[in-house]
Amino acid sequence: MTVVKVECIRGNIAEQQDMDVIVNAANAELLPGSGVAGAIHSAAGPGLAEECRALAPIRPGQAVISSAHELPNQHVIHCLGPVYGVDEPSDRLLAECFRNALLLADRHKLTSIAFPAISTGVFGYPLQDAAAVAMKAVSDTLAELNSVRLVRFVLFSDEDRKVFEQALELESGLS
Ligand code: AR6
């Protein structure tokens, strides 16, 4: 079985130079926005929004792939997370984001993928619950991956990183 490393770091998702693909916590229209989407679009330059126009709109749980433009990565995968309490069932839709992004990266023969904490900002998903969903989704998808070797969660604060680290330790399929 393929060995996949899962790690949690504190950092900026738009500054993951060593990763093949970074994941955007997008809006349905794939427009720049705030938070993760703002950071990714401003680092990528206007070409990203232009390319994204043809890929939008997307629905909760869906993942689409684009070029990375001026970012140091090969690609960006855009996921629309659920708005907590609105898009239901939110846990299944959030899990689909991680699963669909991993499978898409794998289909593109990419080896490393960096995720932000999708839905936990503007979309209001409680961080601890989101971390558990994320780790279980990665664990449940591992057996289907051929190319991906490194999954990195990039959290904006050390406090958030600790929450994800704990969820990683609790997800037995990943240890
Ligand atoms: N790097 C890593 N994590 C970040 C960064 C960054 N540069 N910036 C914020 N976070 P959010 P969502 C954390 O709101 O909840 C946008 O406007 C942040 O602390 O970016 O999925 C889109 O256009 C939080 O824990 O994504 C959508 O309309 C997490 O990343 C909507 O917000 C996600 O925060 C998407 O909302």
Side-chain angles (χ1 to χ4, degrees):
M1 191 176 129
T2 315
V3 177
V4 180
K5 183 181 178 195
V6 182
E7 63 184 20
C8 306
I9 68 159
R10 185 181 72 79
N12 183 342
I13 191 72
E15 293 174 359
Q16 303 302 310
Q17 287 83 351
D18 55 334
M19 303 301 278
D20 288 349
V21 58
I22 60 169
V23 175
N24 182 16
N27 49 64
E29 298 305 324
L30 303 180
L31 292 168
S34 62
V36 166
I40 287 178
H41 276 272
S42 69
L48 180 61
E50 214 166 285
E51 181 184 356
C52 280
R53 242 187 288 146
L55 303 172
I58 62 169
R59 55 180 193 283
Q62 197 182 349
V64 294
I65 193 163
S66 73
S67 309
H69 298 266
E70 291 166 39
L71 281 159
N73 316 95
Q74 293 178 36
H75 292 280
V76 177
I77 288 177
H78 307 263
C79 288
L80 178 60
V83 177
Y84 192 69
V86 174
D87 298 314
E88 299 286 0
S90 55
D91 55 348
R92 207 196 69 209
L93 292 170
L94 186 60
E96 275 179 16
C97 285
F98 291 101
R99 175 180 171 74
N100 287 332
L102 286 167
L103 294 175
L104 192 53
D106 207 67
R107 276 207 298 281
H108 281 76
K109 307 219 176 325
L110 303 171
T111 62
S112 52
I113 179 166
F115 285 101
I118 298 169
S119 281
T120 65
V122 172
F123 285 176
Y125 211 108
L127 194 75
Q128 207 172 338
D129 296 347
V133 168
M135 292 307 168
K136 181 165 191 316
V138 172
S139 173
D140 288 349
T141 311
L142 285 187
E144 294 163 69
L145 301 177
N146 296 305
S147 156
V148 172
R149 294 279 183 280
L150 173 61
V151 179
R152 176 181 293 166
F153 288 94
V154 181
L155 292 315
F156 222 25
S157 69
D158 205 47
E159 216 174 42
D160 290 0
R161 185 195 60 76
K162 282 183 190 145
V163 171
F164 267 65
E165 193 75 58
Q166 204 168 27
L168 171 58
E169 281 160 22
L170 288 173
E171 183 54 57
S172 54
L174 297 177
S175 55

